[in-house]
Amino acid sequence: MTSSVQIIEAGEGRPEIEVVRSARRRRTVQAQPLDDGRVRLLVPATSSQADVWNYIEKLLPKVRARRARKEATLRQVTSDDFLGGRAAQLRARYLPECPEPASVRWVSNQKQQWGSATPAQLSIRISDVLQGAPIYALDAVLFHELCHLIEANHSPRFRALEARYPQLEKARAFLEGVTFGQWGKAS
């Protein structure tokens, strides 16, 4: 057997901890936050129970701090204000002739398209499926919708405007990969 698992129940402000002892691990110790709130602690098989408690005492504050930073960042990038700020930066840098949008917001009812724009109302909606996507991909979708505030269809003029975004091809590759991944899971 190369590893064994011990569960330390949650208590005293501590999450449940899954201790994985590995014969392959010689000296290093690692704490991994899990999506369900638990923590996985990877330790050498030779670690005593006292060693495990010392590791927990040392590493748990670091895991909590990392999780708090991640949650704060996620709250920031999933806000409508964040989207509006990104759109303003993109307009200023690459599309100064674009009118300022009246609204730029996340929506949860768009699962088949990344974003949409209503030029008459100067509004942009971005699918919440993109929350957590790389910024360059999100920016490409925002930029695409900003271009629609100038040119409603996908004409050559629109494509020329859209080509101003320098990471367009990289973003398209990412978004096509996500689309393919979603399609592959559905079948």
Side-chain angles (χ1 to χ4, degrees):
M1 179 181 270
T2 60
S3 66
S4 67
V5 177
Q6 170 193 4
I7 303 297
I8 298 176
E9 297 295 326
E12 301 175 24
R14 179 188 70 243
E16 180 178 297
I17 299 174
E18 176 184 296
V19 180
V20 180
R21 286 183 168 84
S22 173
R24 295 179 66 191
R25 191 173 282 271
R26 299 285 180 218
R27 287 180 284 212
T28 62
V29 175
Q30 184 179 14
Q32 302 171 333
L34 302 175
D35 290 340
D36 61 6
R38 295 179 304 133
V39 173
R40 178 175 293 137
L41 183 65
L42 307 169
V43 300
T46 57
S47 299
S48 69
Q49 197 61 27
D51 291 336
V52 167
W53 284 109
N54 285 335
Y55 300 146
I56 291 170
E57 187 176 309
K58 179 181 176 186
L59 295 175
L60 196 55
K62 293 178 182 181
V63 168
R64 285 185 176 135
R66 189 178 333 138
R67 186 174 277 155
R69 283 191 306 273
K70 183 178 177 182
E71 289 171 358
T73 299
L74 188 59
R75 278 192 303 275
Q76 177 191 4
V77 300
T78 59
S79 74
D80 291 346
D81 289 341
F82 173 79
L83 274 184
R86 295 302 303 174
Q89 290 174 7
L90 291 165
R91 278 181 50 246
R93 190 162 188 185
Y94 306 114
L95 205 60
E97 69 272 32
C98 180
E100 182 177 351
S103 73
V104 181
R105 61 189 177 92
W106 293 105
V107 294
S108 59
N109 62 346
Q110 284 186 175
K111 303 298 181 196
Q112 300 299 314
Q113 56 187 18
W114 301 120
S116 60
T118 306
Q121 296 174 352
L122 295 177
S123 67
I124 294 174
R125 292 157 309 283
I126 302 296
S127 173
D128 64 358
V129 171
L130 287 173
Q131 291 178 346
I135 293 297
Y136 68 86
L138 174 61
D139 282 355
V141 173
L142 273 168
F143 194 75
H144 179 96
E145 301 310 331
L146 286 167
C147 291
H148 277 309
L149 298 183
I150 298 171
E151 187 69 31
N153 56 34
H154 293 130
S155 67
R157 180 174 179 239
F158 173 88
R159 294 298 179 198
L161 292 170
E162 185 183 39
R164 293 182 190 176
Y165 180 65
Q167 297 187 66
L168 182 61
E169 292 309 313
K170 180 180 177 183
R172 280 183 177 158
F174 173 83
L175 295 169
E176 287 172 10
V178 170
T179 301
F180 179 79
Q182 289 176 337
W183 174 79
K185 290 177 188 172
S187 58

